[in-house]
Amino acid sequence: MASYSIIENFKTKTNQDFLDKAAALEPVLNKRVIQPKRIVRVEELPSHECIVHETTDAGTLSKQTFSKGDSMILDFGDHQVGYVSFTAAPIGNHYDAPAYLRVKFAEVPAELLEDSAAYDGWLSKSWIQEEYLHLDILPAAVAMPRRYAFRYMQIEVLDTSPKYALAFRNVSCDYVSAAEMDTVEPLGAKEEILNQMDRVSIKTLMDCMQSVFEDGVKRDKRLWLGDLRLQARANYVTFKNYDMVKRCLYLFAGMTFEDGRMGACFFHEPDFKVDDTYLMDYALFFCPALLDYYEASKDEETLRELYPQAIQQIDICLHTMLDDRYVVVDQRDAFWCFLDWGEGLNKQAGAQAVLIYAIRYGIRLAYLMGEPGKAQELENWMVRLKQAAVDVFWDEGQGMFVSGEERQVSWVTQVWMVLARVFDREKSRELMLHTMQVNPRIRMVTPYMYHHYMDALIRCGEEELALEEMKRYWGEMIRDGADTFWELYNPYNKYESPYGSSMVNSYCHAWSCTPTYLLRKFYRKNEKFRYLFE
Ligand code: RAM
């Protein structure tokens, strides 16, 4: 189902001072020139799995010639984000017609086998990284028009003429990122899969650290508040780029909906502009994002300046989104709360839980700001909302929380109720174990939601289990060939897409990079898990 919001005559409220602060924090991007490593061939097995076969070293490329119908795939060895250039030189008699090429970029090999003409998803087809080029004057120095996210580059010669063929030389990519991998010390775990998950996480995060924390570098290429919260957490234990988080926080606070609600996402090019999408959970995440930032950076000025807007996000929900039972009103088919991309997921109970979760952070922010009165007011709300969650959503017979009129049982609802601490630690633990046993049909499909599942397991003392689940989920993605972590990964349906076609799925998506955060923040610092590192 298509999920977007369009508001006619969308009106915004601007704090120019905040936007100026964000502008002043624009990062300088580091550039590195990367050359292709190998020429490969991609084969699709009947199971839809793709196998990549090396045909030859990329060094042999300039000696090969390509005529009408020929094509080749270059493998850059790892995921790249950047600007690609190459030279196309005519070989043979003088060329008498333009060269006509199709150039396609792919983060994973499967994208190369997909037929973009057949795309009929609900996100724009324009995200597919494919160009048709006419080269009138040869040799041509070609600078590809967009910034691409890819590991594989395919060049297909659609036509030359009988008089000439083409040779491709100097193929390279100017890789760009605001972060540097070498600045992060290795995790140093004994088990290689943990080191691998950590490295792939850091690479994912690094690739997405551009002018802002982009969600994905192939698609969307923009700042989302829910993604930012997790990216920032991973950044604090790796690159420690506090300014980039600060810039993003000031952007969200610098332009909001007219009534003060924060947008779910933000455009930073060509000018700053908040999107006309409001997602309740994302707006609420401004509270934990601000508190995390303060705790990592100790930047009191930013805390002081942004605190009112953080609290405002909670107040707006409390005063406009609850019914008289203190229950969040279900907006059903509207795109009003995200949580996860699971098909048919009812969001009502999860939204209630996120609100409770955010209030906990609001209380801490209020105490930090010396506002015990506000903190107490929020404490009272939290008690009411937790009670309402139990009264309305707890199903004693099933031993789980249900959501919506249909009383739906989903993984997402249970996880968020644990994170909201509606029950004490022991009862939350029982709930998580019971959920694993029942394995509700409405599953989690994004690494974003899996992160919250890990967090919930850790929260209720099931750290070993969380580690096993992390290896099972992110580890399996690595075994499935991930160089960077993917936006979507449902082990039960590996070709799932919320967009109607996996052609526009993103395969370097920063909300998936949290294993590095969990490994570094919880496991490496915990005496109990010393054995993992020594
Ligand atoms: C998708 C992207 C983005 C996410 C939103 C809600 O468009 O994956 O990262 O935050 O959904």
Side-chain angles (χ1 to χ4, degrees), residues 290 303-311 365-366 369 371 374:
L290 180 60
L303 171 68
R304 206 170 347 98
E305 286 201 318
L306 301 184
Y307 164 76
Q309 275 172 280
I311 293 294
L365 286 170
M369 292 299 299
E371 291 200 348
K374 185 70 198 176

Side-chain angles (χ1 to χ4, degrees), residues 31 35 70 129 139 176 184 223 229 278 320 356 377 411 436:
K31 291 202 171 83
Q35 258 108 29
D70 291 342
Q129 306 183 104
V176 284
V184 183
L223 187 56
R229 165 171 152 270
Y278 173 77
T320 67
I356 298 169
E377 181 197 320
W411 276 86
M436 290 178 79

Side-chain angles (χ1 to χ4, degrees), residues 113-134:
L113 302 173
E114 287 162 343
D115 174 13
S116 38
Y119 177 78
D120 68 347
W122 60 268
L123 281 186
S124 177
K125 190 179 191 164
S126 61
W127 289 115
I128 298 173
Q129 306 183 104
E130 183 176 46
E131 313 289 351
Y132 288 85
L133 304 178
H134 285 90

Side-chain angles (χ1 to χ4, degrees), residues 58-121:
T60 61
L61 179 64
S62 57
K63 297 184 194 84
Q64 299 185 33
T65 56
F66 297 86
S67 304
K68 177 175 179 166
D70 291 342
S71 88
M72 53 115 173
I73 299 169
L74 295 171
D75 173 5
F76 279 68
D78 201 352
H79 189 270
Q80 311 295 338
V81 189
Y83 301 89
V84 172
S85 56
F86 61 89
T87 307
I91 308 289
N93 289 358
H94 198 282
Y95 65 93
D96 57 341
Y100 186 33
L101 310 180
R102 184 183 75 114
V103 184
K104 191 166 185 178
F105 294 91
E107 295 185 302
V108 295
E111 287 172 277
L112 296 170
L113 302 173
E114 287 162 343
D115 174 13
S116 38
Y119 177 78
D120 68 347

Side-chain angles (χ1 to χ4, degrees), residues 122-123 215-216 219-220 222 224-227 264-265 279 282 335 338 341 448 487-488 499 506 509 511:
W122 60 268
L123 281 186
D215 60 333
R219 205 212 65 245
D220 278 15
R222 76 189 69 130
W224 285 85
L225 226 171
D227 305 48
C265 85
L279 294 172
Y282 276 27
F335 191 42
F338 174 63
W341 274 125
Y448 167 83
E487 173 186 23
L488 264 298
Y499 312 120
S506 152
H509 215 72
W511 71 11

Side-chain angles (χ1 to χ4, degrees), residues 175-194:
Y175 172 87
V176 284
S177 164
E180 283 278 10
M181 194 84 174
D182 309 342
T183 59
V184 183
E185 34 127 24
L187 178 70
K190 284 203 300 206
E191 251 181 288
E192 192 41 31
I193 187 66
L194 298 183

